[in-house]
Amino acid sequence: MAMEYSEKVMEHFMNPKNVGEIKDADGVGEVGNAKCGDIMKMYLKIEDGIIKDVKFKTFGCGSAIATSSMATEMIKNKPIKEAAKLTNKAVVEALHGLPAVKIHCSVLAEQAIKKALLNYCKKFNLNIKETLGENFKEEDCKTC
Ligand code: FES
């Protein structure tokens, strides 16, 4: 049976936003899913606590590309504390849903952003809770 994808998913898959790499990124996060073999890498440029630029490279399925694209749009020009709270559920909602077997693709996007934010804190020696918020959990950035 053919899988049903929303128009939003197709739009972000066919014409993904923020694809690429930031050479002098302030934070980089790479995650992968061992089962499907997909890999996602996020690059963040941060100024005064705001995500000024974000780019991604995804070696993976269409849903992974669509969720990376939507997730980057959702955190661009936002305070890092807000970006740290982005959940895969919010990305899926913004995409008007994903088939159940594709939900793990959206988890990759959430984790890649969290890992990049964590990398930023470590790189600049910043207190993680103060920078990313009290509820930020390092263990959430583990690869799925
Ligand atoms: Fe694994 Fe999409 S099939 S990320």
Side-chain angles (χ1 to χ4, degrees), residues 33 36 38 61 63-64 102 104-105 108:
N33 183 300
C36 64
D38 290 0
C61 74
S63 301
K102 290 287 171 183
H104 79 269
C105 317
L108 273 189

Side-chain angles (χ1 to χ4, degrees), residues 92-112:
V92 171
E93 273 169 22
L95 285 170
H96 301 159
L98 270 181
V101 292
K102 290 287 171 183
I103 294 295
H104 79 269
C105 317
S106 65
V107 174
L108 273 189
E110 177 190 329
Q111 290 184 331

